[in-house]
Amino acid sequence: MVTVKENQKKLFEFIRQSFELEEKRITSVCEEKTKQHGRSETRKVTCLDAETAQMKRLEFPHIKQICKIVRSTFDLTGAPLRKETAFAVTNAPLSVASSSDLLTTIRQHWAIENSSHYVRDVTMKEDASQIRTESAPQIMATMRNLSIGVMRLGGEKNIAAGLRSNAWANSKNHSIRALGIR
């Protein structure tokens, strides 16, 4: 499953228009409601079969379904906070992946995004890094992942606090102890 963003203009516009014009071709719909973090969220995934002549013209032969994901967020009184619409494509046909299966996949992806990529981007300022030559960016990403992993293994819930704690540790072996080596 891959999210289609507006930088893929032709594909993005095709998918957006498909959902506007072809309600009769909807193959699967799933909706999930959750309450957490002081808000209520509704996620709705709607899928269309991508096996059409128009889709084949776009030269994406392996796409089997196109999906519309609508996320609506409300405060606990029911007042709307925001509504986002995203589109995605998958090579999994409906017989293998229903909208419910795809919603689970999307949620798992966001769990990874929030626990790793977000931490690297926001806490470790990865996007602002000026390390760009040869294999240095991959090495730094590996080092950031290692740091996050070591802190999580040590029971750290807040990576920013863990980074500060390790930076100010009195003992040179503080990080080694976090790994359980000493």
Side-chain angles (χ1 to χ4, degrees):
M1 181 164 222
V2 176
T3 301
V4 177
K5 298 187 179 181
E6 291 185 61
N7 61 350
Q8 290 284 327
K9 290 182 187 344
K10 200 172 178 183
L11 181 59
F12 182 88
E13 201 52 38
F14 173 81
I15 293 172
R16 189 187 63 72
Q17 288 177 0
S18 293
F19 280 99
E20 286 179 4
L21 303 173
E22 304 199 38
E23 283 188 38
K24 62 185 175 289
R25 283 196 317 122
I26 290 175
T27 54
S28 183
V29 178
C30 175
E31 188 171 283
E32 171 189 79
K33 295 181 181 187
T34 58
K35 279 187 182 179
Q36 57 189 17
H37 307 294
R39 63 183 182 259
S40 169
E41 292 184 2
T42 301
R43 292 169 202 82
K44 183 176 181 181
V45 177
T46 307
C47 298
L48 288 173
D49 181 16
E51 291 292 314
T52 66
Q54 288 177 331
M55 194 69 189
K56 290 176 182 169
R57 270 196 350 241
L58 288 174
E59 297 176 9
F60 290 92
H62 302 292
I63 297 174
K64 301 297 182 199
Q65 292 186 82
I66 57 177
C67 308
K68 178 180 178 181
I69 304 113
V70 179
R71 295 178 205 95
S72 303
T73 307
F74 307 89
D75 68 17
L76 293 179
T77 67
L81 297 173
R82 73 177 163 270
K83 185 175 185 177
E84 302 169 279
T85 301
F87 299 106
V89 296
T90 180
N91 64 348
L94 178 62
S95 60
V96 174
S98 68
S99 58
S100 177
D101 298 323
L102 296 174
L103 177 59
T104 300
T105 300
I106 292 163
R107 299 276 293 165
Q108 289 170 342
H109 168 78
W110 278 106
I112 294 167
E113 179 69 29
N114 290 335
S115 68
S116 178
H117 300 294
Y118 181 82
V119 172
R120 285 181 16 208
D121 290 346
V122 175
T123 304
M124 298 182 161
K125 311 249 186 281
E126 186 174 61
D127 287 348
S129 174
Q130 297 199 3
I131 299 170
R132 295 191 179 93
T133 57
E134 298 177 17
S135 59
Q138 289 86 357
I139 292 168
M140 289 305 298
T142 300
M143 297 304 291
R144 290 181 189 105
N145 285 337
L146 177 64
S147 299
I148 293 167
V150 166
M151 284 186 270
R152 291 208 195 281
L153 281 172
E156 191 66 59
K157 301 284 186 224
N158 183 324
I159 300 303
L163 287 169
R164 286 189 298 273
S165 172
N166 279 294
W168 289 101
N170 291 331
S171 170
K172 294 179 185 177
N173 297 323
H174 186 72
S175 298
I176 293 173
R177 280 198 313 273
L179 289 171
I181 297 173
R182 189 167 181 228

